[in-house]
């Protein structure tokens, strides 16, 4: 266990059943309900979730290599990729299938209508493919 997480650790695992589905480790505040809703969205789409409550999400984000300017309320790791925020499961499945060279995906902020942020008034948002140099390209439009 990484020492930067240990003092604040409370881990919960949610699964869709099979052990062969990809595991997503989610670093989130213990007080954030929308992060839990995003985790449920991921489980509903076939992912295994390990939820790690941390007091300092920005520190977890920095350790994982996601630039702060793409910040949201939670940061996750799946394989060699970092997932920032309320990225739809379909985008993550596409990422894992295509395997582009990148840090990962981000849905900066907390877009209304994204998974875990459902509302009657959704807003358009983009999922960004974030590169190691901090640049990005639009990966998907929602």
């Amino acid at each position: 266990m990484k020492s930067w997480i240990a003092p604040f650790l409370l881990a919960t695992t949610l699964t869709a059943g099979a052990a062969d589905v990809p595991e997503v480790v989610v670093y989130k505040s213990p007080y954030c309900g929308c992060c839990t809703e995003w985790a449920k969205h991921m489980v509903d789409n076939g992912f295994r979730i390990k939820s790690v409550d941390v007091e300092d999400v920005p520190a977890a984000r920095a350790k994982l290599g996601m630039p702060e300017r793409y910040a949201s309320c939670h940061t996750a790791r799946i394989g060699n990729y970092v997932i920032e925020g309320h990225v739809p499961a379909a985008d993550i499945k596409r990422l894992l299938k295509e395997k582009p060279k990148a840090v990962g995906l981000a849905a900066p902020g907390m877009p209304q209508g994204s998974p875990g942020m459902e509302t009657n008034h959704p807003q358009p948002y983009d999922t960004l493919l974030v590169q190691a140099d901090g640049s990005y390209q639009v990966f998907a439009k929602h």
Side-chain angles (χ1 to χ4, degrees):
M1 183 177 309
K2 301 223 184 248
S3 63
W4 59 275
I5 295 173
F8 312 107
L9 181 64
L10 172 63
T12 306
T13 301
L14 302 172
T15 66
D20 61 338
V21 296
E23 181 177 66
V24 180
V25 181
V26 183
Y27 301 94
K28 65 176 199 61
S29 163
Y31 313 107
C32 187
C34 66
C35 300
T36 301
E37 292 303 312
W38 179 80
K40 289 177 186 175
H41 162 78
M42 295 297 289
V43 170
D44 290 346
N45 283 277
F47 291 92
R48 288 182 300 126
I49 294 289
K50 180 179 179 182
S51 182
V52 180
D53 287 345
V54 296
E55 294 297 325
D56 191 350
V57 175
R61 181 181 308 111
K63 288 281 185 185
L64 292 171
M66 179 60 69
E68 184 66 25
R69 71 175 179 233
Y70 301 112
S72 185
C73 57
H74 61 270
T75 304
R77 174 166 290 293
I78 182 166
N80 293 324
Y81 292 110
V82 180
I83 307 299
E84 183 64 30
H86 294 267
V87 175
D91 294 352
I92 297 169
K93 288 179 179 181
R94 179 178 153 211
L95 175 78
L96 296 174
K97 181 179 178 182
E98 294 178 4
K99 296 180 173 76
K101 186 176 179 178
V103 171
L105 297 176
M110 298 170 67
Q112 296 298 303
S114 61
M117 293 293 297
E118 288 81 5
T119 179
N120 290 331
H121 305 287
Q123 67 184 46
Y125 70 96
D126 295 333
T127 297
L128 308 177
L129 182 68
V130 179
Q131 302 298 323
D133 67 0
S135 66
Y136 73 89
Q137 64 187 58
V138 174
F139 189 76
K141 291 187 166 291
H142 302 281

